[in-house]
Amino acid sequence: SRRPATLAPEYWLPNLDEAATEKVLATNFSHIPSEQRRAIANISGGFIQIAADICNHYKEFLGNGIGEAIATIEQYYDSRIKEKKNRQFIEAISLVTRIGFAGEVSNELDVLCEFLQLNRAELQTSADRLHDSPGFVGKGGRYYYVTPDVVAHIAFSCAWKRWAANNPDAFLDKFPPVLLQSFLDRVADAASEEVKGHVASFFRAWAAKVSLQDLTSLAIVDRLIALNEMYPAIYLPLLREVIERASIEELKLIVGGGAGNGRWATRRGLVW
C-alpha cells in the first residue's frame, strides 16, 4: 500500500514464496483441496491478496480445476473484472502510479477523465466498489491507485492498448502535464521495453523541437518543467540551449505576471 503521511511505524508484507503462500492458504482455506491450493499459490506469484481472493471465489470461475482454468494472473484479472466499464476505469487509474480525487489534488481526477473522455462520477463510484471487492483499487488519503503491483502492470498494458497503441504519438502529445511525472513513473515500473523506448524517444524528440516562442505557452512549459525535474541530465541542457541562443529582447517576451485562473505566466516556472 501507500506509505502514510505520518512518521508512525508501519507493518508491510513482502511477496511470499510459494511454500509460505501454501501454508497461509492451508491455515485459512482448509476446505480447498491441497492440489488446488498448490495451484493457487503458484498462480498468485506471492501476492497473498490475490491468492486469498482466488480461494474465496474459486468455485465461481475455476470450473474443473484451477490449474486448467486459470493458469496466469492475466486470466485471473479477466475473470475477476468482467464488466466493461469497471475494466475501463481501473485501466484509466493504472496509467499513473496514483491519482488525486479529493482535497487540493481532486483536480487530477478531473484532468484524467477529461483527457480520456470518461465520466468522473461513474469512475469514482466504480473505484469505490472495486476498492471493496476485489480490492484492486486502493485508497490512500486523497489518492486512488491500482493494487497489487502485478494487477497494476496488467491493467497498464490493457490501458496502453485501449488508448495509446493505435496512435501513441498523439496520445503522448496530449498527455496532461500535471499527471506526466506519475505517468512516466508508471511507464518505468510497468511498461514493456517497446513502450518504454517509444515514450523515451517521443519526449526527447519533442523537447528538442521546443523553441523560444514555445516558452510563452503554459502547457508546453508545464510539460518541460516536469521532464526537467524528472530527468535534468537529459532535458536541462536542451532548455539551456534554447535560452542561451536568444537575445535579451526575445527573452523579455517570456513574462512573469499573472496568466489567469490563479496561474503565473511561464517565466516564474522556468526560473524556479
Side-chain angles (χ1 to χ4, degrees):
S1 186
R2 299 291 168 184
R3 182 176 292 277
T6 68
L7 295 178
E10 63 173 333
Y11 294 102
W12 62 282
L13 186 66
N15 286 12
L16 304 181
D17 61 36
E18 194 168 321
T21 303
E22 278 192 61
K23 188 173 180 180
V24 172
L25 297 184
T27 301
N28 291 275
F29 301 98
S30 57
H31 61 285
I32 296 178
S34 59
E35 66 274 11
Q36 292 190 329
R37 292 198 304 264
R38 191 174 303 113
I40 293 172
N42 178 263
I43 293 165
S44 69
F47 288 95
I48 197 66
Q49 175 184 348
I50 288 178
D53 189 62
I54 293 175
C55 287
N56 281 320
H57 296 89
Y58 82 104
K59 286 186 179 179
E60 298 173 20
F61 52 70
L62 296 180
N64 296 324
I66 289 170
E68 298 172 7
I70 290 188
T72 66
I73 290 291
E74 287 82 2
Q75 289 175 324
Y76 163 66
Y77 173 76
D78 289 340
S79 297
R80 208 62 181 90
I81 308 293
K82 292 181 178 178
E83 188 178 331
K84 184 178 179 181
K85 276 204 169 181
N86 281 344
R87 288 183 68 105
Q88 189 176 42
F89 292 148
I90 196 171
E91 287 161 15
I93 297 171
S94 77
L95 283 169
V96 289
T97 54
R98 65 178 187 173
I99 187 78
F101 70 89
E104 66 269 25
V105 293
S106 64
N107 68 302
E108 292 185 6
L109 190 56
D110 291 326
V111 169
L112 182 68
C113 289
E114 182 179 354
F115 173 55
L116 300 176
Q117 298 183 330
L118 300 175
N119 182 292
R120 178 195 165 117
E122 289 182 0
L123 186 151
Q124 202 156 355
T125 299
S126 177
D128 289 338
R129 187 165 57 245
L130 290 165
H131 172 266
D132 295 334
S133 178
F136 290 167
V137 174
K139 293 172 73 173
R142 300 156 294 168
Y143 294 91
Y144 288 131
Y145 55 93
V146 179
T147 186
D149 284 347
V150 66
V151 171
H153 292 188
I154 295 166
F156 176 82
S157 177
C158 294
W160 182 266
K161 292 175 185 175
R162 182 190 296 273
W163 285 293
N166 288 338
N167 194 345
D169 286 356
F171 175 83
L172 295 171
D173 190 49
K174 295 177 182 177
F175 201 89
V178 69
L179 303 176
L180 185 58
Q181 181 165 351
S182 190
F183 169 72
L184 292 178
D185 287 344
R186 172 66 78 209
V187 169
D189 175 58
S192 66
E193 291 305 313
E194 180 183 1
V195 172
K196 287 178 183 177
H198 195 106
V199 172
S201 296
F202 173 84
F203 284 111
R204 279 198 296 269
W206 174 86
K209 295 175 183 176
V210 170
S211 67
L212 186 75
Q213 290 71 31
D214 291 330
L215 299 187
T216 63
S217 164
L218 275 173
I220 290 175
V221 169
D222 281 350
R223 177 186 287 183
L224 198 57
I225 288 172
L227 291 168
N228 269 276
E229 289 179 343
M230 285 181 284
Y231 306 109
I234 296 173
Y235 293 101
L236 192 56
L238 295 174
L239 175 58
R240 176 176 175 168
E241 184 180 349
V242 172
I243 292 173
E244 288 187 338
R245 283 202 311 261
S247 66
I248 295 298
E249 289 70 27
E250 289 174 321
L251 290 173
K252 285 180 179 178
L253 298 175
I254 305 172
V255 296
N261 297 322
R263 295 289 308 277
W264 292 97
T266 58
R267 183 181 184 278
R268 178 172 291 232
L270 289 167
V271 170
W272 175 261

